Amino acid sequence: MQPSEPTADAPTLADLGWQPFFASQVTAQEAETCQPVRVTALYRGLVTVTGEGVDQLIGSRLAESRGDEDRATVGDWLLIDRETLAVVRILDRTSLFKRPAPGDDRRLQLIAANVDTLFIVTSCNDDFNIARLERYLVLAREAEVTPVVVLTKIDLADDPEHFRAQALALQPGLGVELVNARDPHSVARLASRCGEGHTVALLGSSGVGKSTLVNTLRGTDSITTQSVRDHDDKGRHTTTVRAMHRLAGGGWLIDAPGMREFRIADAPTGIAEVFDDIAALVLECRFTNCTHVSEPGCAIQAAIAGGTLEPARLARWAKLAAEDEMGTAQQATRKARVGKPGKRN
Ligand SMILES: Nc1nc2c(ncn2[C@@H]2O[C@H](COP(=O)(O)OP(=O)(O)O)[C@@H](O)[C@H]2O)c(=O)[nH]1
Ligand SMILES: [Mg+2]
Ligand SMILES: [Zn+2]
């Protein structure tokens, strides 16, 4: 697979998702010597950057060796020197998906930046899991990115509507789409959510059909899907960590593999939004330090007793809230050790 396969026409900055928010960050002085480029693919230690007249791999320490949030990730906008292509800086992001790095909770892994919409992909089968969907929703709400739940494999399910109903119940107004990811007609309505310059990230367990969706939406099979990968031992594709794929309609899809399980950290706003019913009840408890177990005047226990709050939902919230608190503390420990964000470590 060629990660940056040539497209018929090179994208303009607008095609790439350039917005006034980014333009406003470039000083007049920078504009003289620099140009903006977008990170369209991420490898170990390398990035492909795409901009006007630029589409190439640059070796970059940005991808790995810096403090957490000032590493570049897929979707980032960089200012680079026109002559040398040296990276001058990363522009502030409209959104950032991050999680504790697998294997080292004190570090952050940046998943994608400047994403407009998150497709939370799951299948109408055993992969469907309310607790995991809530996790993805927390990630989206924390990053202030619009989530859409995409339920694949409707062609293999006896009762796909049953899954739709459960997904719709997750949050009022949540977008839910049912598709056969292999069928172009079926995925067509997703295309309207990925228009000109729009960036959509796909997250979900392995095997749910993310790469299939990307291929079907693009009308190609340039991305390796799982069944193909099983028969491919060349291993070339494994060097691509993440890439943006351009759609004919002008949008971009980011297929982020390897996200089966992830931990939540630093996401109190996301949790409060996904569990807004519980967040509202907490404010009603008599004691501000209520643990919602056995205190008098506990609004949460009252809601459970009254049947308006499911004990299982409370348990899922408590688990995420505890995990978030612990994760946030671990990140803070590391930040304190290595100094302020932006400092090399
Ligand atoms: N029947 C059917 N198969 C699907 C659908 N979506 C994905 N698949 C198959 O499921 C397998 C895994 O898909 P893949 O796109 O590699 O999943 P990924 O790991 O999320 O990227 C492949 O064999 C796909 O052809 C679907 O909606 N219907
Ligand atoms: Mg895949
Ligand atoms: Zn309480």
Coordinates of all heavy atoms in Angstrom, one line a residue, residues 121 123 152-156 179-182 204-213 224-229 255, ligand 1:
V121 N -17.1 3.3 15.4 CA -17.5 2.2 14.6 C -17.6 0.9 15.5 O -16.7 0.6 16.2 CB -16.6 2.0 13.4 CG1 -17.1 0.9 12.5 CG2 -16.3 3.3 12.7
S123 N -20.0 -3.1 15.4 CA -20.8 -4.0 14.6 C -22.0 -4.5 15.3 O -22.0 -4.5 16.5 CB -19.9 -5.2 14.2 OG -18.7 -4.8 13.6
T152 N -21.9 -1.4 11.8 CA -21.7 -2.1 10.6 C -22.3 -3.5 10.7 O -22.8 -3.9 11.7 CB -20.2 -2.2 10.4 OG1 -19.6 -2.9 11.5 CG2 -19.5 -0.9 10.2
K153 N -22.1 -4.2 9.6 CA -22.5 -5.6 9.5 C -24.0 -5.9 9.6 O -24.4 -6.9 10.2 CB -21.7 -6.5 10.4 CG -20.2 -6.3 10.2 CD -19.3 -7.3 10.8 CE -17.8 -6.9 10.6 NZ -16.8 -7.8 11.1
I154 N -24.8 -4.9 9.2 CA -26.3 -5.1 9.3 C -26.7 -6.2 8.4 O -27.7 -6.9 8.7 CB -27.1 -3.8 8.9 CG1 -26.7 -3.3 7.5 CG2 -26.9 -2.7 10.0 CD1 -27.6 -2.2 7.0
D155 N -25.9 -6.5 7.4 CA -26.3 -7.6 6.5 C -26.1 -9.0 7.2 O -26.7 -10.0 6.7 CB -25.4 -7.6 5.2 CG -23.9 -7.5 5.5 OD1 -23.5 -6.7 6.4 OD2 -23.2 -8.3 4.9
L156 N -25.4 -9.0 8.3 CA -25.1 -10.3 9.0 C -26.0 -10.4 10.2 O -26.0 -11.5 10.9 CB -23.7 -10.4 9.3 CG -22.6 -10.3 8.2 CD1 -21.2 -10.4 8.8 CD2 -22.9 -11.4 7.2
V179 N -25.1 0.4 8.6 CA -24.5 0.2 7.3 C -24.0 -1.2 7.1 O -23.7 -1.9 8.0 CB -23.3 1.2 7.0 CG1 -23.8 2.6 7.0 CG2 -22.2 1.0 7.9
N180 N -24.0 -1.6 5.8 CA -23.2 -2.7 5.4 C -22.0 -2.0 4.8 O -22.1 -1.4 3.8 CB -24.0 -3.5 4.3 CG -23.1 -4.6 3.7 OD1 -21.8 -4.6 3.9 ND2 -23.6 -5.4 2.8
A181 N -20.9 -2.1 5.5 CA -19.7 -1.4 5.1 C -19.1 -1.7 3.7 O -18.4 -1.0 3.1 CB -18.6 -1.5 6.2
R182 N -19.5 -2.9 3.2 CA -19.0 -3.4 1.9 C -19.9 -2.9 0.8 O -19.5 -3.0 -0.4 CB -19.0 -4.9 1.9 CG -18.1 -5.4 3.1 CD -17.4 -6.7 2.7 NE -18.3 -7.8 2.9 CZ -17.8 -9.1 3.1 NH1 -16.5 -9.3 3.1 NH2 -18.6 -10.1 3.2
G204 N -12.6 2.4 16.7 CA -13.4 1.2 17.1 C -12.5 0.0 17.1 O -11.4 0.1 16.7
S205 N -13.0 -1.1 17.6 CA -12.2 -2.3 17.8 C -11.7 -2.8 16.4 O -12.3 -2.5 15.4 CB -13.1 -3.5 18.4 OG -13.8 -3.0 19.5
S206 N -10.7 -3.6 16.4 CA -10.2 -4.3 15.2 C -11.3 -5.2 14.7 O -12.0 -5.9 15.4 CB -9.0 -5.1 15.6 OG -8.5 -5.7 14.5
G207 N -11.5 -5.2 13.4 CA -12.4 -6.1 12.7 C -13.8 -5.6 12.5 O -14.7 -6.3 12.0
V208 N -14.1 -4.4 13.0 CA -15.5 -3.9 12.9 C -15.8 -3.3 11.5 O -17.0 -3.1 11.2 CB -15.9 -2.8 14.0 CG1 -15.8 -3.5 15.4 CG2 -14.9 -1.6 14.0
G209 N -14.8 -3.1 10.7 CA -15.0 -2.6 9.4 C -14.6 -1.2 9.1 O -15.0 -0.6 8.1
K210 N -13.6 -0.6 9.9 CA -13.2 0.7 9.6 C -12.5 0.9 8.3 O -12.8 1.8 7.5 CB -12.2 1.2 10.8 CG -12.9 1.2 12.1 CD -11.9 1.6 13.2 CE -10.7 0.7 13.4 NZ -11.0 -0.7 13.8
S211 N -11.5 0.0 8.0 CA -10.8 0.1 6.7 C -11.8 -0.2 5.6 O -11.7 0.4 4.5 CB -9.6 -0.9 6.7 OG -8.8 -0.6 7.8
T212 N -12.7 -1.1 5.8 CA -13.7 -1.4 4.7 C -14.5 -0.2 4.4 O -14.8 0.2 3.3 CB -14.6 -2.6 5.2 OG1 -13.8 -3.7 5.6 CG2 -15.6 -3.0 4.1
L213 N -14.9 0.6 5.5 CA -15.7 1.8 5.3 C -14.9 2.8 4.5 O -15.4 3.5 3.6 CB -16.0 2.4 6.7 CG -17.3 1.9 7.4 CD1 -17.3 2.5 8.8 CD2 -18.5 2.3 6.6
T224 N -5.6 -1.8 3.4 CA -5.6 -3.2 3.7 C -6.7 -3.4 4.7 O -6.6 -2.9 5.8 CB -4.2 -3.6 4.2 OG1 -3.2 -3.0 3.4 CG2 -4.1 -5.1 4.3
T225 N -7.6 -4.3 4.4 CA -8.5 -4.7 5.4 C -8.1 -6.0 6.1 O -7.1 -6.6 5.6 CB -9.9 -5.0 4.8 OG1 -9.8 -5.9 3.8 CG2 -10.5 -3.7 4.2
Q226 N -8.8 -6.4 7.2 CA -8.2 -7.4 8.0 C -8.1 -8.8 7.3 O -7.1 -9.4 7.5 CB -9.2 -7.6 9.2 CG -8.5 -8.3 10.3 CD -9.4 -8.3 11.6 OE1 -10.4 -8.9 11.5 NE2 -8.9 -7.7 12.6
S227 N -9.1 -9.1 6.5 CA -9.0 -10.4 5.9 C -7.8 -10.5 4.9 O -7.2 -11.5 4.7 CB -10.3 -10.8 5.1 OG -10.6 -9.8 4.2
V228 N -7.5 -9.4 4.3 CA -6.4 -9.3 3.4 C -5.1 -9.4 4.2 O -4.2 -10.2 3.9 CB -6.4 -8.0 2.6 CG1 -5.2 -7.9 1.7 CG2 -7.7 -7.9 1.7
R229 N -5.1 -8.6 5.3 CA -3.9 -8.6 6.1 C -3.5 -10.0 6.6 O -2.4 -10.3 6.7 CB -4.1 -7.6 7.3 CG -2.9 -7.4 8.1 CD -3.0 -6.3 9.0 NE -4.1 -6.5 9.9 CZ -4.8 -5.5 10.5 NH1 -4.5 -4.2 10.3 NH2 -5.8 -5.7 11.4
D255 N -8.2 6.6 9.6 CA -8.4 5.3 10.0 C -7.3 5.0 11.1 O -6.1 5.0 10.8 CB -8.2 4.3 8.8 CG -8.5 2.9 9.2 OD1 -8.9 2.6 10.4 OD2 -8.3 2.0 8.3
Ligands
LIG1 N1 -20.7 -8.7 5.7 C1 -20.0 -7.7 6.1 N2 -18.7 -7.7 6.3 C2 -18.0 -6.6 6.8 C3 -18.7 -5.4 7.0 N3 -17.8 -4.5 7.5 C4 -16.6 -5.2 7.5 N4 -16.7 -6.4 7.1 C5 -15.6 -7.5 7.0 O1 -15.0 -7.6 8.3 C6 -13.6 -7.8 8.2 C7 -12.9 -6.8 9.0 O2 -13.0 -5.5 8.3 P1 -11.9 -4.3 8.4 O3 -12.3 -3.2 7.6 O4 -10.5 -4.9 8.2 O5 -12.0 -4.0 10.0 P2 -11.1 -2.9 10.8 O6 -10.1 -3.7 11.6 O7 -12.1 -2.1 11.6 O8 -10.4 -2.0 9.8 C8 -13.3 -7.8 6.7 O9 -13.3 -9.1 6.2 C9 -14.5 -7.1 6.1 O10 -14.8 -7.4 4.8 C10 -20.1 -5.4 6.8 O11 -20.8 -4.4 7.0 N5 -20.7 -6.5 6.4

